[in-house]
Structures are given as structure tokens and as C-alpha cells.
Amino acid sequence: MILRFLKERRSWILFFIIIHFFILFIAFIDSAIPVQSVLYIVFLSMIAFIIFLSVRYNKETAFYKSLADRENNLDISSIPAPESPFEQLVEKTLSEQAQSLKKDALHNRISLEQEKDELLSWIHEVKTPLTAMHLMIERMEDDVMKTHLTYEWLRIHLLLDQQLHQKRIPFIENDLYIETVDLESVIFSEIKTLQAWCIQKGIGFDIQLDQKEVLSDAKWLAFIIRQILTNAVKYSVASDIIIKCWKQDDQVRVQVKDSGRGIDPKDLPRIFDKGFTSTINHHDHAATGMGLYLAKKAAIPLLIDIHVQSIIHTETAFTLIFPKRNDFAAVISV
């Protein structure tokens, strides 16, 4: 701050020095003016000027120091009261800009809330004709056409469900209800939803549940499992998906292992990034890069760790590691 202050006042300092050099120059060329007296006056003037600068530094930089130390927000209450006219001008400008930004932020927040509510309302309205469509598909006698239509219906259903949960995730803490969840019921329900897709691709399930209950939120846990199962089915053909559940170190673990195309080792650190699909299958237009991202976002408030192991072109295993019961005290208190 000292260097900035001196740089700001350099024109005044240079003017002061030049004036004193000019006075000394006059004293040297004019024999009528005693040089020693002028030197003494210049010396005292310099001392006074240095003291003056020190005093002014503390007084003039207090306001700007508070600006430099201020947090990057719209609250200007931490700024001390301005004293000089320029400080008042700065404070007035900051205050007006802060008020303007607050109004814009409030307007944008209201617009986003309205857009979110409209989208959620639209999704719920679309689900009604989708349900009717599913009932009509179920009544079809042409099995081939029925399978194809069911698959397309399922794709729309999953995309809408994903969009619905994406809009709810920012407020997931308000929607959590921690209870003892029947894992078998959740897993079988999700498998039943994907049944038509699995039949079409010749995919079966090998389910081994040594532990059948877990402490979690049933709705959001089902969503996480749905995203992982959808991923496993999408990238597998004519093979079994193995689902295991066991308890280790007082923590329940659920693993979903498929024998699909696997994940390239260089992609593993990025699979939970928003919008990331793949580097080796970048032409895959069916991938949205949102499923695993949303699953990870939903798992964080539930204190669920998601571990991934994969061998390229061989298998992929997603393991959900649930917290210990005592670790849920903070979540339940919310």
C-alpha cells in the first residue's frame, strides 16, 4: 500500500523536489542569497514534508485499505465512512452499483425460480400422457412393435426423470427423509422399470444381497441406483449385470458390475464431471454426460461415496459405500 500511495502522489513529490532544487539553483547563482541558509531551509522543509506524507498516508489510505480487504460481495457496510470528496464519490458509486446489482440478482433469482417451477410443472404434465401411452403400449399385441415402443417410451421417461431431479438437487437438503430403506425393494423396482430395455439387449441380473437394509433416503437412493443401472444397461450387450450388497467395516456397500465396454483409465477421474461423456467414444450421441454427474451430486448430502473400478472392454464396477449410522446425525438434524 505504501508503494501505491507514493506512486499515486509521485507528481506532487516530484513537483516538491523540483521546486527545492530550483531554489537551491537560484541560491547558487545569486551571490546575494546565502546558500547555507537555503540548504537549512530545504532540509527542514524535507523533514516536514516526510512527516506530512506519513500523516497523510495513514489518513488517506484507511478508506482504500478497507476496499482492498473487503470480501467480494455486495455488502459495503464494512467500508469506513468517507472523509474526502473523492472518497465520498467512490463510496457513492459503489453503493449505487451494489444496489443495482442486488436488484439484478433478485430479478434473475425470481426469473430462475419461475423458470424452474414452469419446467417442473411441464414435466409433471408430460408424465400424464406418458403414463397413458405406456398403458396403450402394454395392450399392444404385436410383440416386436411393443418392445420397440416400450424402449423409446423408457428413454423419454428416464430423460424426464433426470431433468426433474436435476432441478430438485439444489434443494435436496429440504427433501431428505432418512429412514431404513429396503434395498431389495428399491433394486427390484428399478430393474422392473428397465425390464423392456434389458430384454431387448439380452441382459440379465445376478443379485446377491447379503445386507437388505440401509439407512438412507429412499427416493434419492433409488435415483442414484437408477442412474448407475441405466449406465450399466446402456453399455452392455447379452451379459449379466451383477448386483451385490454386503457389510464391511460397519458400512453397507452396494456394487453394480457390468461386462460392458468399460471406461478408459484416463477418463475415470472425469466421469462425474458435468457433461463429460467419453474420449474414446466421443461420437456416442446417446450419452448426455448428466447421469453420473447427478448421481454424484445426490450422493454427497446422503454421505454416500461412489467408487469406480473398470477394465477397458471388459467390465465396470460402481460401488456405493454408505456411511455408518452415527455419521448420519448431521444429516438427520437437517
Side-chain angles (χ1 to χ4, degrees):
M1 187 61 75
I2 294 176
L3 292 177
R4 289 182 179 178
F5 175 75
L6 294 176
K7 187 176 180 180
E8 175 68 21
R9 298 289 182 264
R10 65 180 181 272
S11 58
W12 294 87
I13 296 171
L14 286 173
F15 178 75
F16 178 85
I17 293 172
I18 290 170
I19 286 295
H20 282 70
F21 270 113
F22 180 72
I23 293 172
L24 289 172
F25 175 73
I26 296 297
F28 274 111
I29 64 173
D30 191 345
S31 57
I33 301 175
V35 176
Q36 289 184 345
S37 298
V38 171
L39 283 172
Y40 182 66
I41 293 170
V42 169
F43 174 74
L44 292 178
S45 179
M46 286 286 186
I47 296 297
F49 184 65
I50 292 172
I51 295 172
F52 172 78
L53 281 179
S54 301
V55 173
R56 294 305 302 174
Y57 168 76
N58 293 324
K59 189 173 181 62
E60 294 183 19
T61 59
F63 179 79
Y64 298 102
K65 279 181 180 178
S66 65
L67 289 181
D69 297 336
R70 188 173 70 94
E71 295 182 2
N72 189 23
N73 54 41
L74 300 179
D75 183 17
I76 60 171
S77 60
S78 59
I79 300 176
E83 296 182 3
S84 70
F86 283 116
E87 289 178 2
Q88 292 173 1
L89 178 62
V90 170
E91 193 271 341
K92 181 182 177 183
T93 303
L94 284 176
S95 179
E96 291 175 351
Q97 288 181 348
Q99 291 300 323
S100 176
L101 289 172
K102 284 180 180 178
K103 288 181 181 178
D104 291 342
L106 179 62
H107 175 73
N108 291 335
R109 186 161 59 248
I110 293 173
S111 298
L112 285 173
E113 285 295 322
Q114 290 176 344
E115 183 181 345
K116 186 198 74 166
D117 292 340
E118 290 170 2
L119 181 58
L120 291 176
S121 175
W122 179 83
I123 291 172
H124 285 296
E125 288 178 9
V126 169
K127 280 189 172 185
T128 302
L130 268 181
T131 302
M133 187 185 301
H134 188 255
L135 292 174
M136 288 187 287
I137 292 172
E138 288 293 320
R139 294 172 185 167
M140 292 183 64
E141 296 181 358
D142 188 336
D143 292 336
V144 177
M145 182 62 69
K146 180 179 179 180
T147 301
H148 286 302
L149 288 176
T150 302
Y151 169 67
E152 296 302 331
W153 174 88
L154 181 61
R155 287 179 60 190
I156 298 172
H157 171 73
L158 291 175
L159 286 172
L160 282 174
D161 179 74
Q162 198 176 86
Q163 187 65 238
L164 179 66
H165 284 82
Q166 182 181 352
K167 293 301 178 184
R168 287 176 173 171
I169 276 180
F171 313 98
I172 186 173
E173 287 82 2
N174 301 329
D175 193 37
L176 291 181
Y177 178 67
I178 306 303
E179 60 182 339
T180 300
V181 179
D182 183 3
L183 273 173
E184 186 176 32
S185 174
V186 171
I187 291 171
F188 274 85
S189 174
E190 296 305 322
I191 290 175
K192 186 177 180 181
T193 304
L194 302 172
Q195 184 177 8
W197 193 10
C198 294
I199 293 173
Q200 185 184 34
K201 301 190 72 174
I203 294 172
F205 289 89
D206 181 4
I207 302 174
Q208 307 165 22
L209 302 180
D210 296 335
Q211 185 76 23
K212 296 188 178 181
E213 291 184 344
V214 68
L215 194 64
S216 190
D217 181 281
K219 181 171 64 178
W220 286 102
L221 176 58
F223 173 74
I224 295 170
I225 292 176
R226 188 180 313 138
Q227 302 311 307
I228 294 174
L229 283 176
T230 302
N231 230 48
V233 173
K234 184 186 296 183
Y235 301 118
S236 300
V237 178
S239 60
D240 282 350
I241 294 174
I242 302 171
I243 302 176
K244 295 181 180 179
C245 181
W246 72 97
K247 198 168 187 179
Q248 180 180 330
D249 299 329
D250 201 27
Q251 290 180 289
V252 177
R253 298 168 187 253
V254 176
Q255 185 181 80
V256 178
K257 181 188 287 186
D258 65 71
S259 302
R261 71 187 191 187
I263 303 171
D264 193 277
K266 68 175 179 290
D267 290 346
L268 277 175
R270 302 176 59 192
I271 60 173
F272 294 110
D273 292 349
K274 186 176 183 179
F276 179 76
T277 53
S278 173
T279 55
I280 59 173
N281 295 281
H282 208 60
H283 59 280
D284 185 0
H285 299 294
T288 62
M290 293 300 295
L292 293 180
Y293 164 75
L294 294 174
K296 184 70 173 179
K297 291 278 286 185
I300 292 173
L302 290 173
L303 307 181
I304 298 174
D305 290 331
I306 305 179
H307 291 186
V308 187
Q309 293 176 316
S310 184
I311 302 174
I312 190 72
H313 304 308
T314 304
E315 65 179 30
T316 300
F318 282 84
T319 305
L320 305 181
I321 303 177
F322 291 82
K324 298 177 182 179
R325 296 185 71 91
N326 292 340
D327 295 337
F328 258 124
V331 178
I332 295 173
S333 63
V334 175

